[in-house]
Amino acid sequence: MIANQRDFPVAVLVSGRGSNMEALLKAEQAGELGRATVRLVVSDNPEAKALEIARSYGVRAEYIDGAPFKTKLEGAAEERYIQAIRESGARLVVMAGFMRMLKPAFISAFSGRIVNIHPSLLPAYPGLHTHERAIEAGEQFAGCTVHFVNEVMDGGKRIIQARVPVKPGDTPEILAVRVLEQEHQIFKRVIRWISEGRLTEETCPEEPFIFNERMPLWN
Ligand code: GRF
C-alpha cells in the first residue's frame, strides 16, 4: 500500500462553527489523515461558518435543507442527505457538530460507517450542555469521545476518549475550550485508523482507547 494514497473519501456533516471539520482538513493537508480525503461537507444550516471554511480549503460544501424537523433527519430530508453522500462516493460519514439525530434509514444506508464526536466522557452526559452538567455535578474530569453511531443518541461503540481536568473556577465556556483542543487531537486519529483499515465497528474494542494513556493503535 502506498502510504499517502488518498482513496478513502469522507463526507462531513456540520451545523455550525466547524472547528472539528477544519482540524480534519488541516490534518489532511499535513498528511495526518491516512488514506482519508474530505470529499464533501454538508450542513443543515445555510449560515454555518463551517461551509465557508470548507470552501476556503477547496472542498465541496453544500447546504441541504433538513426540514420539516429541527432535531432529526427523517423522510424527504433524510433521503436528500443519503443521496448526496452516496453520490460523493464517501466511505465514511463523519458527524462534526451536526445537531440532528440520525434515524434508522440513514444509519442502515451507511451501516458501521458513521462516526460522531461528543464533548463528554460517554456514557456520562449524552445530549446537550455537557460541560455545564459536568461542572454542576462536581466532576474532577471531563473530556470527549469519538464513537460509532447507532440509533441510541450518543450511544454507539466508543472508540477513543480524551480526558481533561475540571479546574476550580471553570465555567462551561472555559472547560469547553480545554475539551475542544482534545477533540481536535482525537478525531483525526480515528479517521486515519478507519481509513487505513485498522479499525471497524466490528473490531472496535468494548472499552475505548484513552488518548495518550491506552493507545494500542497508536504509531
Ligand atoms: C463540538 O464540541 C463537538 O463535540 C460537538 O459539537 C461541537 C462542534 O464544534 N458535537 P465545531 O463546530 O466542531 O467547532
Side-chain angles (χ1 to χ4, degrees):
M1 177 176 99
I2 302 162
N4 61 2
Q5 195 182 333
R6 298 197 182 151
D7 55 0
F8 193 88
V10 165
V12 184
L13 304 184
V14 291
S15 294
R17 176 177 62 179
S19 76
N20 275 290
M21 178 211 68
E22 186 168 17
L24 297 180
L25 293 172
K26 282 197 174 132
E28 183 180 344
Q29 281 189 341
E32 294 172 356
L33 215 54
R35 301 178 74 132
T37 179
V38 178
R39 177 69 60 80
L40 174 67
V41 171
V42 183
S43 178
D44 59 342
N45 168 13
E47 309 290 324
K49 183 95 172 101
L51 289 173
E52 220 176 279
I53 298 171
R55 289 178 189 132
S56 78
Y57 280 77
V59 173
R60 193 170 131 216
E62 279 178 25
Y63 158 66
I64 301 182
D65 194 356
F69 303 105
K70 282 206 156 66
T71 57
K72 63 180 177 180
L73 208 51
E74 208 165 26
E78 184 179 46
E79 268 311 309
R80 290 194 283 276
Y81 273 74
I82 292 172
Q83 200 181 330
I85 295 166
R86 282 212 175 113
E87 279 170 9
S88 77
R91 294 173 64 185
L92 181 70
V93 179
V94 175
M95 298 175 75
F98 187 65
M99 303 307 283
R100 286 172 189 263
M101 278 288 288
L102 300 180
K103 306 304 274 186
F106 188 100
I107 292 169
S108 60
F110 305 105
S111 174
R113 297 184 291 128
I114 312 171
V115 291
N116 179 46
I117 188 151
H118 181 76
S120 80
L121 296 170
L122 290 171
Y125 310 113
L128 298 175
H129 310 301
T130 53
H131 304 310
E132 194 179 316
R133 287 151 68 204
I135 291 169
E136 263 169 28
E139 300 285 359
Q140 290 193 327
F141 289 94
C144 46
T145 306
V146 179
H147 63 93
F148 286 103
V149 173
N150 64 14
E151 283 152 36
V152 181
M153 185 177 57
D154 302 321
K157 270 189 172 179
R158 297 166 302 157
I159 302 166
I160 183 171
Q161 298 186 317
R163 294 183 216 271
V164 302
V166 179
K167 296 185 181 172
D170 268 356
T171 62
E173 293 72 26
I174 292 171
L175 181 56
V177 172
R178 197 174 305 131
V179 172
L180 194 65
E181 257 175 46
Q182 299 300 307
E183 294 185 32
H184 297 167
Q185 291 302 317
I186 62 175
F187 217 5
K188 61 184 179 185
R189 291 180 159 86
V190 168
I191 310 306
R192 173 158 62 85
W193 295 338
I194 294 175
S195 79
E196 290 174 345
R198 289 199 269 164
L199 177 77
T200 65
E201 192 176 31
E202 284 91 58
T203 63
C204 182
E206 273 312 308
E207 285 303 309
F209 304 129
I210 307 295
F211 184 47
N212 281 340
E213 290 175 34
R214 216 158 57 75
M215 294 276 292
L217 281 177
W218 179 261
N219 69 10

Short mmCIF file of all heavy atoms in Angstrom, two decimals, residues 122-184:
data_model
loop_
_atom_site.label_atom_id
_atom_site.label_comp_id
_atom_site.label_asym_id
_atom_site.label_seq_id
_atom_site.Cartn_x
_atom_site.Cartn_y
_atom_site.Cartn_z
N LEU A 122 -18.46 9.76 27.48
CA LEU A 122 -19.63 8.87 27.40
C LEU A 122 -19.30 7.54 28.10
O LEU A 122 -18.15 7.12 28.06
CB LEU A 122 -19.98 8.62 25.93
CG LEU A 122 -20.57 9.83 25.18
CD1 LEU A 122 -20.66 9.53 23.68
CD2 LEU A 122 -21.93 10.22 25.73
N PRO A 123 -20.23 6.90 28.79
CA PRO A 123 -21.68 7.15 28.73
C PRO A 123 -22.16 8.33 29.59
O PRO A 123 -23.36 8.56 29.64
CB PRO A 123 -22.28 5.83 29.22
CG PRO A 123 -21.25 5.28 30.15
CD PRO A 123 -19.92 5.69 29.57
N ALA A 124 -21.25 9.03 30.25
CA ALA A 124 -21.70 10.19 31.05
C ALA A 124 -22.11 11.32 30.11
O ALA A 124 -21.45 11.56 29.09
CB ALA A 124 -20.57 10.66 31.96
N TYR A 125 -23.16 11.97 30.43
CA TYR A 125 -23.63 13.18 29.76
C TYR A 125 -23.83 13.08 28.24
O TYR A 125 -23.20 13.82 27.48
CB TYR A 125 -22.69 14.37 30.07
CG TYR A 125 -22.45 14.50 31.55
CD1 TYR A 125 -21.17 14.27 32.09
CD2 TYR A 125 -23.49 14.82 32.41
CE1 TYR A 125 -20.95 14.36 33.45
CE2 TYR A 125 -23.27 14.91 33.78
CZ TYR A 125 -22.00 14.68 34.29
OH TYR A 125 -21.78 14.76 35.64
N PRO A 126 -24.68 12.17 27.81
CA PRO A 126 -25.10 12.26 26.39
C PRO A 126 -25.94 13.52 26.22
O PRO A 126 -26.36 14.12 27.22
CB PRO A 126 -25.96 11.00 26.21
CG PRO A 126 -26.45 10.66 27.58
CD PRO A 126 -25.39 11.13 28.55
N GLY A 127 -26.18 13.93 24.99
CA GLY A 127 -27.06 15.08 24.76
C GLY A 127 -26.34 16.41 24.89
O GLY A 127 -25.14 16.50 24.70
N LEU A 128 -27.11 17.43 25.26
CA LEU A 128 -26.60 18.82 25.23
C LEU A 128 -26.06 19.28 26.59
O LEU A 128 -26.24 18.59 27.59
CB LEU A 128 -27.73 19.76 24.79
CG LEU A 128 -28.28 19.51 23.37
CD1 LEU A 128 -29.49 20.43 23.11
CD2 LEU A 128 -27.21 19.72 22.31
N HIS A 129 -25.42 20.45 26.59
CA HIS A 129 -24.96 21.14 27.82
C HIS A 129 -24.06 20.25 28.67
O HIS A 129 -24.15 20.24 29.89
CB HIS A 129 -26.16 21.62 28.64
CG HIS A 129 -27.15 22.40 27.83
ND1 HIS A 129 -26.81 23.56 27.16
CD2 HIS A 129 -28.45 22.17 27.53
CE1 HIS A 129 -27.85 24.01 26.50
NE2 HIS A 129 -28.86 23.18 26.68
N THR A 130 -23.18 19.53 28.02
CA THR A 130 -22.35 18.55 28.73
C THR A 130 -21.44 19.21 29.77
O THR A 130 -21.30 18.70 30.88
CB THR A 130 -21.49 17.78 27.72
OG1 THR A 130 -20.78 18.74 26.93
CG2 THR A 130 -22.33 16.91 26.82
N HIS A 131 -20.82 20.34 29.38
CA HIS A 131 -19.83 20.95 30.30
C HIS A 131 -20.52 21.54 31.53
O HIS A 131 -20.03 21.38 32.65
CB HIS A 131 -19.02 22.01 29.56
CG HIS A 131 -18.35 21.48 28.34
ND1 HIS A 131 -17.59 20.33 28.37
CD2 HIS A 131 -18.35 21.89 27.05
CE1 HIS A 131 -17.14 20.07 27.16
NE2 HIS A 131 -17.61 21.00 26.34
N GLU A 132 -21.63 22.17 31.29
CA GLU A 132 -22.40 22.73 32.40
C GLU A 132 -22.79 21.62 33.38
O GLU A 132 -22.65 21.77 34.61
CB GLU A 132 -23.65 23.36 31.78
CG GLU A 132 -24.43 24.28 32.64
CD GLU A 132 -25.61 24.83 31.84
OE1 GLU A 132 -25.43 25.21 30.65
OE2 GLU A 132 -26.71 24.85 32.40
N ARG A 133 -23.25 20.52 32.84
CA ARG A 133 -23.70 19.42 33.70
C ARG A 133 -22.52 18.79 34.45
O ARG A 133 -22.64 18.45 35.62
CB ARG A 133 -24.43 18.37 32.86
CG ARG A 133 -25.82 18.85 32.42
CD ARG A 133 -26.26 18.23 31.11
NE ARG A 133 -26.52 16.82 31.16
CZ ARG A 133 -26.48 15.99 30.12
NH1 ARG A 133 -26.16 16.45 28.91
NH2 ARG A 133 -26.76 14.73 30.25
N ALA A 134 -21.37 18.67 33.78
CA ALA A 134 -20.20 18.07 34.45
C ALA A 134 -19.73 18.97 35.60
O ALA A 134 -19.38 18.48 36.68
CB ALA A 134 -19.08 17.85 33.44
N ILE A 135 -19.73 20.28 35.38
CA ILE A 135 -19.30 21.21 36.43
C ILE A 135 -20.29 21.16 37.60
O ILE A 135 -19.89 21.05 38.76
CB ILE A 135 -19.16 22.64 35.87
CG1 ILE A 135 -17.97 22.72 34.90
CG2 ILE A 135 -18.99 23.67 37.00
CD1 ILE A 135 -17.89 24.01 34.09
N GLU A 136 -21.56 21.22 37.28
CA GLU A 136 -22.59 21.19 38.33
C GLU A 136 -22.50 19.93 39.18
O GLU A 136 -22.74 19.95 40.38
CB GLU A 136 -23.99 21.26 37.72
CG GLU A 136 -24.54 22.66 37.72
CD GLU A 136 -25.80 22.78 36.89
OE1 GLU A 136 -26.54 21.77 36.74
OE2 GLU A 136 -26.03 23.89 36.36
N ALA A 137 -22.15 18.82 38.54
CA ALA A 137 -22.07 17.55 39.27
C ALA A 137 -20.77 17.43 40.07
O ALA A 137 -20.56 16.45 40.78
CB ALA A 137 -22.19 16.40 38.29
N GLY A 138 -19.88 18.41 39.93
CA GLY A 138 -18.62 18.37 40.68
C GLY A 138 -17.63 17.35 40.14
O GLY A 138 -16.79 16.83 40.88
N GLU A 139 -17.71 17.04 38.84
CA GLU A 139 -16.78 16.07 38.25
C GLU A 139 -15.35 16.57 38.34
O GLU A 139 -15.10 17.78 38.19
CB GLU A 139 -17.11 15.84 36.77
CG GLU A 139 -18.49 15.33 36.48
CD GLU A 139 -18.69 13.86 36.80
OE1 GLU A 139 -17.71 13.20 37.23
OE2 GLU A 139 -19.81 13.38 36.63
N GLN A 140 -14.41 15.64 38.53
CA GLN A 140 -12.99 16.04 38.51
C GLN A 140 -12.43 16.03 37.10
O GLN A 140 -11.46 16.70 36.81
CB GLN A 140 -12.19 15.08 39.36
CG GLN A 140 -12.49 15.24 40.84
CD GLN A 140 -11.46 14.51 41.69
OE1 GLN A 140 -10.95 13.47 41.27
NE2 GLN A 140 -11.17 15.06 42.84
N PHE A 141 -13.06 15.20 36.26
CA PHE A 141 -12.60 15.10 34.88
C PHE A 141 -13.76 15.28 33.91
O PHE A 141 -14.88 14.86 34.18
CB PHE A 141 -11.94 13.74 34.61
CG PHE A 141 -10.62 13.60 35.27
CD1 PHE A 141 -10.52 13.01 36.52
CD2 PHE A 141 -9.47 14.10 34.68
CE1 PHE A 141 -9.29 12.90 37.16
CE2 PHE A 141 -8.24 14.01 35.30
CZ PHE A 141 -8.14 13.40 36.56
N ALA A 142 -13.44 15.92 32.81
CA ALA A 142 -14.38 16.00 31.70
C ALA A 142 -13.61 15.49 30.48
O ALA A 142 -12.49 15.01 30.61
CB ALA A 142 -14.86 17.43 31.49
N GLY A 143 -14.21 15.61 29.30
CA GLY A 143 -13.47 15.14 28.13
C GLY A 143 -14.36 14.98 26.93
O GLY A 143 -15.43 15.60 26.85
N CYS A 144 -13.89 14.16 25.99
CA CYS A 144 -14.63 13.98 24.75
C CYS A 144 -14.49 12.54 24.28
O CYS A 144 -13.56 11.83 24.70
CB CYS A 144 -14.13 14.95 23.69
SG CYS A 144 -12.34 15.04 23.56
N THR A 145 -15.41 12.15 23.43
CA THR A 145 -15.48 10.76 22.95
C THR A 145 -15.74 10.76 21.44
O THR A 145 -16.60 11.51 20.98
CB THR A 145 -16.66 10.02 23.62
OG1 THR A 145 -16.56 10.14 25.04
CG2 THR A 145 -16.69 8.55 23.23
N VAL A 146 -15.03 9.93 20.71
CA VAL A 146 -15.41 9.64 19.33
C VAL A 146 -16.01 8.24 19.34
O VAL A 146 -15.44 7.31 19.93
CB VAL A 146 -14.21 9.70 18.36
CG1 VAL A 146 -14.66 9.37 16.93
CG2 VAL A 146 -13.55 11.07 18.40
N HIS A 147 -17.19 8.10 18.71
CA HIS A 147 -17.88 6.81 18.75
C HIS A 147 -18.58 6.51 17.42
O HIS A 147 -18.86 7.43 16.64
CB HIS A 147 -18.90 6.80 19.90
CG HIS A 147 -20.01 7.81 19.74
ND1 HIS A 147 -21.21 7.52 19.15
CD2 HIS A 147 -20.08 9.12 20.10
CE1 HIS A 147 -21.98 8.60 19.14
NE2 HIS A 147 -21.32 9.58 19.71
N PHE A 148 -18.81 5.24 17.19
CA PHE A 148 -19.65 4.86 16.05
C PHE A 148 -21.08 5.24 16.38
O PHE A 148 -21.46 5.29 17.56
CB PHE A 148 -19.54 3.35 15.78
CG PHE A 148 -18.23 2.97 15.14
CD1 PHE A 148 -17.22 2.37 15.89
CD2 PHE A 148 -18.00 3.22 13.79
CE1 PHE A 148 -16.00 2.03 15.30
CE2 PHE A 148 -16.79 2.88 13.20
CZ PHE A 148 -15.79 2.29 13.95
N VAL A 149 -21.85 5.50 15.34
CA VAL A 149 -23.22 5.99 15.55
C VAL A 149 -24.21 4.86 15.34
O VAL A 149 -24.15 4.16 14.33
CB VAL A 149 -23.52 7.15 14.57
CG1 VAL A 149 -24.98 7.56 14.64
CG2 VAL A 149 -22.62 8.35 14.90
N ASN A 150 -25.08 4.69 16.34
CA ASN A 150 -26.23 3.80 16.15
C ASN A 150 -27.50 4.58 16.48
O ASN A 150 -27.46 5.81 16.56
CB ASN A 150 -26.06 2.52 16.99
CG ASN A 150 -26.06 2.79 18.48
OD1 ASN A 150 -26.43 3.88 18.93
ND2 ASN A 150 -25.65 1.81 19.25
N GLU A 151 -28.60 3.86 16.70
CA GLU A 151 -29.86 4.59 16.87
C GLU A 151 -30.05 5.21 18.25
O GLU A 151 -30.97 5.99 18.46
CB GLU A 151 -31.03 3.68 16.52
CG GLU A 151 -31.16 3.55 15.01
CD GLU A 151 -31.78 2.25 14.57
OE1 GLU A 151 -32.67 1.77 15.28
OE2 GLU A 151 -31.34 1.71 13.54
N VAL A 152 -29.17 4.88 19.16
CA VAL A 152 -29.27 5.48 20.50
C VAL A 152 -28.42 6.76 20.51
O VAL A 152 -27.25 6.72 20.12
CB VAL A 152 -28.70 4.50 21.57
CG1 VAL A 152 -28.81 5.11 22.97
CG2 VAL A 152 -29.40 3.16 21.48
N MET A 153 -29.00 7.87 20.96
CA MET A 153 -28.25 9.13 20.92
C MET A 153 -26.96 9.03 21.73
O MET A 153 -27.00 8.70 22.92
CB MET A 153 -29.10 10.28 21.45
CG MET A 153 -28.38 11.60 21.29
SD MET A 153 -29.35 13.01 21.82
CE MET A 153 -29.70 12.59 23.49
N ASP A 154 -25.83 9.29 21.06
CA ASP A 154 -24.51 9.23 21.70
C ASP A 154 -24.27 7.87 22.36
O ASP A 154 -23.55 7.78 23.36
CB ASP A 154 -24.36 10.37 22.74
CG ASP A 154 -24.54 11.75 22.10
OD1 ASP A 154 -24.07 11.93 20.97
OD2 ASP A 154 -25.17 12.62 22.73
N GLY A 155 -24.87 6.83 21.77
CA GLY A 155 -24.84 5.52 22.43
C GLY A 155 -24.08 4.43 21.70
O GLY A 155 -24.02 3.30 22.19
N GLY A 156 -23.48 4.71 20.55
CA GLY A 156 -22.78 3.65 19.80
C GLY A 156 -21.44 3.30 20.43
O GLY A 156 -21.02 3.91 21.42
N LYS A 157 -20.77 2.31 19.84
CA LYS A 157 -19.49 1.85 20.38
C LYS A 157 -18.48 2.98 20.48
O LYS A 157 -18.22 3.67 19.49
CB LYS A 157 -18.91 0.78 19.45
CG LYS A 157 -19.33 -0.62 19.78
CD LYS A 157 -18.49 -1.57 18.92
CE LYS A 157 -18.72 -3.01 19.33
NZ LYS A 157 -17.94 -3.92 18.48
N ARG A 158 -17.90 3.12 21.66
CA ARG A 158 -16.92 4.19 21.87
C ARG A 158 -15.56 3.76 21.33
O ARG A 158 -15.12 2.64 21.56
CB ARG A 158 -16.82 4.51 23.36
CG ARG A 158 -18.12 5.05 23.93
CD ARG A 158 -18.11 5.04 25.44
NE ARG A 158 -17.88 3.68 25.94
CZ ARG A 158 -17.39 3.40 27.15
NH1 ARG A 158 -17.09 4.37 27.99
NH2 ARG A 158 -17.22 2.15 27.52
N ILE A 159 -14.90 4.66 20.61
CA ILE A 159 -13.60 4.33 20.01
C ILE A 159 -12.46 4.89 20.87
O ILE A 159 -11.54 4.16 21.23
CB ILE A 159 -13.51 4.91 18.58
CG1 ILE A 159 -14.64 4.36 17.72
CG2 ILE A 159 -12.14 4.60 17.97
CD1 ILE A 159 -14.86 5.11 16.40
N ILE A 160 -12.52 6.16 21.15
CA ILE A 160 -11.43 6.80 21.91
C ILE A 160 -12.00 7.95 22.73
O ILE A 160 -12.97 8.60 22.31
CB ILE A 160 -10.31 7.30 20.97
CG1 ILE A 160 -9.13 7.90 21.77
CG2 ILE A 160 -10.80 8.30 19.96
CD1 ILE A 160 -7.90 8.22 20.91
N GLN A 161 -11.38 8.15 23.88
CA GLN A 161 -11.73 9.31 24.71
C GLN A 161 -10.47 10.06 25.09
O GLN A 161 -9.39 9.47 25.19
CB GLN A 161 -12.41 8.84 26.01
CG GLN A 161 -13.71 8.11 25.76
CD GLN A 161 -14.47 7.77 27.01
OE1 GLN A 161 -13.88 7.32 27.99
NE2 GLN A 161 -15.78 7.97 26.97
N ALA A 162 -10.61 11.36 25.30
CA ALA A 162 -9.53 12.16 25.90
C ALA A 162 -10.10 12.80 27.14
O ALA A 162 -11.24 13.26 27.14
CB ALA A 162 -9.04 13.23 24.92
N ARG A 163 -9.31 12.79 28.21
CA ARG A 163 -9.76 13.38 29.47
C ARG A 163 -9.04 14.68 29.72
O ARG A 163 -7.85 14.80 29.42
CB ARG A 163 -9.34 12.48 30.64
CG ARG A 163 -9.97 11.15 30.72
CD ARG A 163 -9.46 10.48 32.01
NE ARG A 163 -9.28 9.06 31.85
CZ ARG A 163 -10.25 8.18 32.07
NH1 ARG A 163 -11.44 8.57 32.43
NH2 ARG A 163 -10.02 6.89 31.91
N VAL A 164 -9.73 15.61 30.35
CA VAL A 164 -9.08 16.84 30.84
C VAL A 164 -9.58 17.07 32.26
O VAL A 164 -10.68 16.65 32.61
CB VAL A 164 -9.40 18.07 29.96
CG1 VAL A 164 -8.99 17.88 28.52
CG2 VAL A 164 -10.87 18.43 30.04
N PRO A 165 -8.78 17.77 33.08
CA PRO A 165 -9.26 18.07 34.43
C PRO A 165 -10.31 19.16 34.40
O PRO A 165 -10.29 20.02 33.53
CB PRO A 165 -7.99 18.59 35.14
CG PRO A 165 -7.11 19.08 34.03
CD PRO A 165 -7.41 18.23 32.83
N VAL A 166 -11.25 19.09 35.34
CA VAL A 166 -12.13 20.23 35.59
C VAL A 166 -11.45 21.02 36.70
O VAL A 166 -11.13 20.47 37.75
CB VAL A 166 -13.53 19.77 36.04
CG1 VAL A 166 -14.43 20.98 36.30
CG2 VAL A 166 -14.17 18.84 35.01
N LYS A 167 -11.17 22.31 36.43
CA LYS A 167 -10.40 23.09 37.40
C LYS A 167 -11.30 24.01 38.21
O LYS A 167 -12.37 24.42 37.72
CB LYS A 167 -9.34 23.91 36.66
CG LYS A 167 -8.32 23.04 35.95
CD LYS A 167 -7.22 23.86 35.31
CE LYS A 167 -6.23 22.95 34.59
NZ LYS A 167 -5.26 23.70 33.80
N PRO A 168 -10.87 24.35 39.41
CA PRO A 168 -11.68 25.27 40.23
C PRO A 168 -11.93 26.56 39.45
O PRO A 168 -11.02 27.08 38.80
CB PRO A 168 -10.79 25.55 41.45
CG PRO A 168 -9.79 24.46 41.48
CD PRO A 168 -9.62 23.96 40.08
N GLY A 169 -13.14 27.05 39.50
CA GLY A 169 -13.46 28.30 38.81
C GLY A 169 -13.82 28.12 37.34
O GLY A 169 -14.15 29.09 36.65
N ASP A 170 -13.76 26.88 36.85
CA ASP A 170 -14.12 26.65 35.44
C ASP A 170 -15.56 27.06 35.17
O ASP A 170 -16.47 26.74 35.95
CB ASP A 170 -14.01 25.15 35.09
CG ASP A 170 -12.66 24.79 34.53
OD1 ASP A 170 -11.82 25.70 34.34
OD2 ASP A 170 -12.43 23.58 34.28
N THR A 171 -15.77 27.75 34.07
CA THR A 171 -17.12 27.97 33.55
C THR A 171 -17.29 26.96 32.41
O THR A 171 -16.30 26.41 31.91
CB THR A 171 -17.26 29.38 32.97
OG1 THR A 171 -16.33 29.49 31.88
CG2 THR A 171 -16.97 30.45 34.01
N PRO A 172 -18.53 26.73 31.98
CA PRO A 172 -18.71 25.81 30.84
C PRO A 172 -17.89 26.26 29.62
O PRO A 172 -17.33 25.43 28.90
CB PRO A 172 -20.22 25.90 30.55
CG PRO A 172 -20.83 26.26 31.86
CD PRO A 172 -19.83 27.15 32.55
N GLU A 173 -17.76 27.57 29.44
CA GLU A 173 -17.03 28.08 28.27
C GLU A 173 -15.54 27.77 28.38
O GLU A 173 -14.90 27.39 27.40
CB GLU A 173 -17.21 29.60 28.13
CG GLU A 173 -18.64 30.04 27.78
CD GLU A 173 -19.65 29.89 28.94
OE1 GLU A 173 -19.22 29.92 30.13
OE2 GLU A 173 -20.85 29.74 28.66
N ILE A 174 -15.00 27.97 29.59
CA ILE A 174 -13.56 27.70 29.78
C ILE A 174 -13.28 26.21 29.61
O ILE A 174 -12.33 25.80 28.94
CB ILE A 174 -13.10 28.19 31.18
CG1 ILE A 174 -13.17 29.73 31.24
CG2 ILE A 174 -11.69 27.70 31.51
CD1 ILE A 174 -12.95 30.30 32.64
N LEU A 175 -14.13 25.40 30.20
CA LEU A 175 -13.96 23.95 30.09
C LEU A 175 -14.10 23.51 28.64
O LEU A 175 -13.36 22.64 28.16
CB LEU A 175 -14.98 23.25 31.00
CG LEU A 175 -14.94 21.73 31.03
CD1 LEU A 175 -13.55 21.20 31.41
CD2 LEU A 175 -15.99 21.18 31.99
N ALA A 176 -15.03 24.13 27.92
CA ALA A 176 -15.26 23.75 26.51
C ALA A 176 -14.00 23.95 25.68
O ALA A 176 -13.69 23.14 24.81
CB ALA A 176 -16.41 24.57 25.92
N VAL A 177 -13.25 25.02 25.96
CA VAL A 177 -12.02 25.29 25.20
C VAL A 177 -11.00 24.19 25.46
O VAL A 177 -10.36 23.68 24.53
CB VAL A 177 -11.44 26.68 25.59
CG1 VAL A 177 -10.07 26.88 24.97
CG2 VAL A 177 -12.39 27.79 25.18
N ARG A 178 -10.90 23.81 26.74
CA ARG A 178 -9.93 22.76 27.11
C ARG A 178 -10.31 21.43 26.44
O ARG A 178 -9.44 20.69 25.96
CB ARG A 178 -9.90 22.61 28.64
CG ARG A 178 -8.68 21.87 29.17
CD ARG A 178 -8.65 21.89 30.71
NE ARG A 178 -8.71 23.24 31.23
CZ ARG A 178 -9.56 23.64 32.21
NH1 ARG A 178 -10.38 22.79 32.78
NH2 ARG A 178 -9.57 24.89 32.61
N VAL A 179 -11.59 21.14 26.40
CA VAL A 179 -12.04 19.88 25.79
C VAL A 179 -11.87 19.92 24.27
O VAL A 179 -11.42 18.95 23.65
CB VAL A 179 -13.51 19.57 26.17
CG1 VAL A 179 -14.05 18.38 25.38
CG2 VAL A 179 -13.63 19.32 27.67
N LEU A 180 -12.20 21.07 23.68
CA LEU A 180 -12.16 21.19 22.21
C LEU A 180 -10.76 20.91 21.65
O LEU A 180 -10.62 20.27 20.61
CB LEU A 180 -12.64 22.59 21.78
CG LEU A 180 -12.96 22.76 20.30
CD1 LEU A 180 -14.17 21.90 19.89
CD2 LEU A 180 -13.25 24.22 19.98
N GLU A 181 -9.75 21.38 22.37
CA GLU A 181 -8.36 21.11 21.94
C GLU A 181 -8.13 19.60 21.80
O GLU A 181 -7.46 19.16 20.88
CB GLU A 181 -7.41 21.58 23.05
CG GLU A 181 -6.74 22.88 22.77
CD GLU A 181 -5.92 23.31 23.98
OE1 GLU A 181 -5.18 22.48 24.56
OE2 GLU A 181 -6.08 24.49 24.35
N GLN A 182 -8.69 18.86 22.73
CA GLN A 182 -8.54 17.40 22.70
C GLN A 182 -9.40 16.78 21.59
O GLN A 182 -9.01 15.80 20.97
CB GLN A 182 -8.91 16.79 24.06
CG GLN A 182 -8.05 17.28 25.19
CD GLN A 182 -6.57 16.97 24.96
OE1 GLN A 182 -6.21 15.82 24.71
NE2 GLN A 182 -5.74 17.99 25.01
N GLU A 183 -10.57 17.36 21.37
CA GLU A 183 -11.42 16.86 20.27
C GLU A 183 -10.62 16.87 18.97
O GLU A 183 -10.64 15.91 18.19
CB GLU A 183 -12.67 17.74 20.12
CG GLU A 183 -13.61 17.67 21.30
CD GLU A 183 -14.91 18.45 21.07
OE1 GLU A 183 -15.39 18.53 19.93
OE2 GLU A 183 -15.45 18.97 22.07
N HIS A 184 -9.91 17.98 18.77
CA HIS A 184 -9.16 18.13 17.52
C HIS A 184 -8.02 17.11 17.42
O HIS A 184 -7.62 16.75 16.33
CB HIS A 184 -8.62 19.56 17.40
CG HIS A 184 -9.71 20.59 17.33
ND1 HIS A 184 -9.47 21.93 17.48
CD2 HIS A 184 -11.04 20.46 17.15
CE1 HIS A 184 -10.63 22.59 17.38
NE2 HIS A 184 -11.59 21.71 17.19
#
